[in-house]
Amino acid sequence: MKKRITAILLGMTFLATALMGCGDRKDVQEEAPSGGNSEVQEEKADSRSGEADDKGEETEGEPVEVIWLWPGEAPEGLQEVEDALNEMMERDIGVHVTLYPCADWANQVTLDVSTGTQVDICLTVGGGVGGKVKDGVIQPMDELVAEYGADIVEDCGDSIKGGYYNGLLYGVPNAWLLGDGYGFYANGDLLDKYGYEAGEPGKSYSLQELEEMMATVKAGEREGFYPASINGQKTLTMRSFFEYDLLCGGSPSTGVLILRDGFDNTTIENLYETEAYEEYAKCMYDWAQKGFISKDAATDTGSALDHVPAGDSLGIFYWLGEQNAAYDASTSAIQVKTYTYNRIPMYITSDILGNILWSIPVTSGNPQKAMEALNYIYKHDEAAWLLQFGIEGRDYEVIEEMEIDGKIQKRIKYLSENPSALPYYQGMGVYGDRFSWPIVGETIDIYANKKYRESDAGIPDSRKSPAMGYVFVKDSVSTEIAAVDAVREQYENSIAYGTVNPDVILPEFREALKKAGIDKIIEENQRQFDEWLAMQK
């Protein structure tokens, strides 16, 4: 969200905000928010006809209506942003956009399509497009992108591979880094109190070093203080322990590539039978016994990010780029002075390609105009900035500006220490070419986006998954996947939050997974992967 608000950090913060309520960058979405925005739907019912046969007809001289899902509850300043966007799009491409705010953006579009309701552009975060394709929610985009998506193709490059399913293109990503790193975000003021400094750039901190820091702080704080806030962050926490690739289109139910011992591994494994997972599970249990994790972590419905500024916790495990520095509170995921400690250096996996994807539902009133509108925000940076940051002078101010390679690069500052309290705030970094976005805050080099675009953030080939471009097609094992998902739901949280002894529960969990059919799923995934690998030679 990884996924991250400064160049790298900005994107991570965005996604996590989405998925805490991001972030994980989904592999990421552990819980979908509940409830659509029924009031907005009712207000705009006249413009969102439920009859597909009545859609697609343009009135000469009038802009075509495009209903564009906006992930989250509607902020008070949404209408002004919509109006400013339409001032551009109506003039340039004959499109009038209606931003459709939706808290339950992960599921609401499926319901809308089932009732024939017009939605023209929808969003998928994490896991690829396979689920929406199987449910008949979205339509292929190959011809539309070829004819109307030139700027998307140019900006996104190879990352567009993550939008394919069964050989057809169903989604397009935003343009941004393909890699993620992971580590520990902590309250810098609290660490100052105990003599700790910000993490050293380029250093990867061991679990032992983090444990010693957490133990020191816990010993000096009040009763009930716990160092690691991980409720709702279980995937990001595990990502901070070892490298793995979920494989685009897949999930922990369908097998993973464990990469911590080398990025040349092409054997898909049951995550829960690996040595890496067992070590992680034992650590979570040990931390829970030491009081490093809240006893209520498994049932806490709040955000893990809220516990740090509230003074209940020291930090969170989170997406982390190569900055390893103190950040402005206004750009920190935890909204306090932040020290970061890298655990897993940045690496690239195939599942990242399917993290953020824009698609066109089958109930689109005009797929051509929907694609033109989507392409517009890649071609016109100011449109993407508007959707992401709101109105200049109301939501943010420009504090630095310079021309870099013929393009204007800006540094901006939110006009509130708590950006979510502004008239307009979009917590997900999902719009257009993010390499051209303004830099947020005062600590990141204004040349950072240029450097990242040119160098893949300096990620070497030795830290790139061998599965880049592979997408698992799950149709033939969907029954088994549903059964495995149910088993994971029964066991996974209690292990992730350290509430059960893994020596006791892991054998039971593994046996239940086998009975549910995980071996058959992995066998099919490996078969497809081997065929794909052979085609790459």
Side-chain angles (χ1 to χ4, degrees), residues 477-497:
V477 286
S478 58
T479 300
E480 289 80 5
I481 290 174
V484 170
D485 285 345
V487 172
R488 287 178 49 220
E489 186 174 353
Q490 180 181 352
Y491 289 93
E492 199 172 39
N493 277 356
S494 58
I495 294 173
Y497 297 120

Side-chain angles (χ1 to χ4, degrees), residues 192-210:
D192 286 343
K193 176 180 174 181
Y194 293 95
Y196 288 93
E197 298 179 349
E200 297 178 22
K203 176 180 177 179
S204 292
Y205 286 78
S206 68
L207 287 174
Q208 181 178 354
E209 288 175 295
L210 295 183

Side-chain angles (χ1 to χ4, degrees), residues 463-474:
R463 292 190 63 78
K464 296 178 181 179
S465 169
M468 298 301 291
Y470 171 69
V471 180
F472 179 39
V473 179
K474 302 177 285 190

Side-chain angles (χ1 to χ4, degrees), residues 217-232:
V217 176
K218 179 175 176 58
E221 292 300 302
R222 59 178 171 78
E223 183 70 23
F225 178 90
Y226 52 95
S229 181
I230 64 173
N231 60 295

Side-chain angles (χ1 to χ4, degrees), residues 143-385:
E143 294 181 4
L144 291 169
V145 168
E147 190 165 356
Y148 306 106
D151 297 283
I152 294 173
V153 173
E154 180 179 354
D155 286 346
C156 293
D158 286 345
S159 64
I160 205 167
K161 294 176 181 178
Y164 280 87
Y165 194 80
N166 242 346
L168 295 175
L169 182 66
Y170 287 92
V172 296
N174 60 7
W176 188 228
L177 298 173
L178 297 182
D180 277 327
Y182 303 88
F184 192 61
Y185 265 54
N187 185 328
D189 288 327
L190 194 54
L191 288 174
D192 286 343
K193 176 180 174 181
Y194 293 95
Y196 288 93
E197 298 179 349
E200 297 178 22
K203 176 180 177 179
S204 292
Y205 286 78
S206 68
L207 287 174
Q208 181 178 354
E209 288 175 295
L210 295 183
E211 285 184 14
E212 290 174 356
M213 180 173 67
M214 290 192 285
T216 298
V217 176
K218 179 175 176 58
E221 292 300 302
R222 59 178 171 78
E223 183 70 23
F225 178 90
Y226 52 95
S229 181
I230 64 173
N231 60 295
Q233 302 286 117
K234 66 173 185 270
T235 305
L236 280 170
T237 303
M238 185 168 68
R239 284 282 196 184
S240 301
F241 275 67
F242 58 94
E243 299 97 325
Y244 64 95
D245 188 346
L246 283 175
L247 301 170
C248 190
S251 73
S253 295
T254 60
V256 304
L257 292 179
I258 298 294
L259 302 173
R260 72 170 183 174
D261 296 323
F263 279 70
D264 57 351
N265 179 31
T266 58
T267 300
I268 301 174
E269 301 176 69
N270 177 349
L271 170 66
Y272 305 101
E273 287 190 342
T274 64
E275 180 181 6
Y277 182 80
E278 185 166 339
E279 291 173 0
Y280 152 78
K282 289 182 176 180
C283 184
M284 291 296 98
Y285 181 67
D286 179 55
W287 284 3
Q289 304 312 299
K290 294 175 178 176
F292 288 0
I293 302 171
S294 169
K295 295 178 181 178
D296 300 323
T299 57
D300 188 348
T301 58
S303 166
L305 280 69
D306 293 336
H307 291 294
V308 180
D312 300 327
S313 182
L314 172 62
I316 61 173
F317 287 93
Y318 207 59
W319 292 289
L320 185 60
E322 58 184 28
Q323 309 302 324
N324 282 84
Y327 294 95
D328 299 331
S330 64
T331 62
S332 166
I334 50 179
Q335 294 298 300
V336 296
K337 175 182 175 182
T338 305
Y339 288 170
T340 58
Y341 302 86
N342 192 54
R343 273 282 304 142
I344 303 294
M346 294 184 74
Y347 68 105
I348 299 178
T349 60
S350 69
D351 56 304
I352 271 180
L353 299 184
N355 273 337
I356 299 172
L357 295 166
W358 290 107
S359 300
I360 298 178
V362 297
T363 54
S364 171
N366 192 313
Q368 171 189 326
K369 284 298 185 182
M371 180 56 67
E372 287 187 56
L374 195 53
N375 188 73
Y376 189 91
I377 68 169
Y378 293 78
K379 184 175 183 178
H380 299 275
D381 293 334
E382 63 273 20
W385 300 348

